[in-house]
Amino acid sequence: MPDQEISAKPQQVEKPFPWRCPKCRQLTVSRVTMPYRCRRTHRGRVVTVDVPNLAVPCCSNCNEVVFDYAADEQIQAAFRTQLDASAKRTQTIIKYVFFGGAAFFFALGLFFLINGESVISLILLLLAMWMLLAKVITDVRMRIERLEDQLLNHPSP
């Protein structure tokens, strides 16, 4: 007997359209594609999520939108994509600010060292090292937050 593969995720069978509208009670709900915008809260701040092509059941009689699991999954995927893009932009900005500041303090430190100002030079070189260390700490913190988000959004089976 051949071994059958058992799926860990049960297959969801969608009931056939048309559905009965929960608002007007007419049998006129079918799946449509529409642009959609909503707000979600992430780490205490409100994030606007744009889904340009949301496939969602909608009543053709009264325009009532009936959200199902498929629509929610599309919104969650758009939310994760938007958060990833935002995190990458933030990391790029942080990289340029910290490395630019470190390079500036390093150059100033070398300038003062050449001109014989060893105390000022030491302070500026320490500031440059501090900027690089702060960049590393910020990177680690952002990676931990990203891992936390992945664990919260993708629970193990």
Side-chain angles (χ1 to χ4, degrees), residues 21-91:
C21 177
K23 185 176 180 183
C24 70
R25 308 300 298 159
Q26 298 294 315
L27 201 60
T28 55
V29 174
S30 60
R31 191 168 298 280
V32 297
T33 302
M34 59 186 249
Y36 182 72
R37 175 179 280 174
C38 65
R39 292 186 179 180
R40 297 281 170 114
T41 303
H42 179 70
R43 298 191 181 276
R45 63 185 175 102
V46 177
V47 178
T48 302
V49 181
D50 289 316
V51 186
N53 296 315
L54 180 66
V56 64
C58 183
C59 178
S60 60
N61 186 39
C62 67
N63 293 328
E64 178 75 8
V65 177
V66 183
F67 288 94
D68 60 353
Y69 290 116
D72 186 54
E73 288 173 4
Q74 292 174 62
I75 294 169
Q76 288 295 334
F79 181 59
R80 284 191 299 272
T81 302
Q82 190 170 325
L83 284 180
D84 289 344
S86 175
K88 286 180 182 177
R89 280 193 308 271
T90 302
Q91 282 180 333

Side-chain angles (χ1 to χ4, degrees), residues 5-154:
E5 291 184 25
I6 299 174
S7 173
K9 190 175 184 181
Q11 297 291 328
Q12 292 181 354
V13 178
E14 184 177 272
K15 81 177 178 181
F17 287 104
W19 296 352
R20 189 168 303 280
C21 177
K23 185 176 180 183
C24 70
R25 308 300 298 159
Q26 298 294 315
L27 201 60
T28 55
V29 174
S30 60
R31 191 168 298 280
V32 297
T33 302
M34 59 186 249
Y36 182 72
R37 175 179 280 174
C38 65
R39 292 186 179 180
R40 297 281 170 114
T41 303
H42 179 70
R43 298 191 181 276
R45 63 185 175 102
V46 177
V47 178
T48 302
V49 181
D50 289 316
V51 186
N53 296 315
L54 180 66
V56 64
C58 183
C59 178
S60 60
N61 186 39
C62 67
N63 293 328
E64 178 75 8
V65 177
V66 183
F67 288 94
D68 60 353
Y69 290 116
D72 186 54
E73 288 173 4
Q74 292 174 62
I75 294 169
Q76 288 295 334
F79 181 59
R80 284 191 299 272
T81 302
Q82 190 170 325
L83 284 180
D84 289 344
S86 175
K88 286 180 182 177
R89 280 193 308 271
T90 302
Q91 282 180 333
T92 302
I93 291 169
I94 287 172
K95 178 176 73 174
Y96 287 122
V97 166
F98 278 104
F99 285 144
F104 174 74
F105 286 129
F106 184 76
L108 260 166
L110 287 179
F111 173 76
F112 281 109
L113 185 63
I114 290 170
N115 289 328
E117 300 288 335
S118 59
V119 175
I120 295 173
S121 167
L122 179 65
I123 291 171
L124 290 171
L125 292 174
L126 286 174
L127 277 173
M129 293 297 292
W130 176 82
M131 294 277 293
L132 293 175
L133 180 63
K135 167 69 171 99
V136 169
I137 291 170
T138 304
D139 280 349
V140 169
R141 193 193 88 234
M142 290 181 80
R143 287 183 187 192
I144 290 171
E145 285 179 2
R146 194 174 320 127
L147 285 173
E148 287 173 348
D149 287 341
Q150 288 175 352
L151 289 174
L152 290 175
N153 290 329
H154 301 290

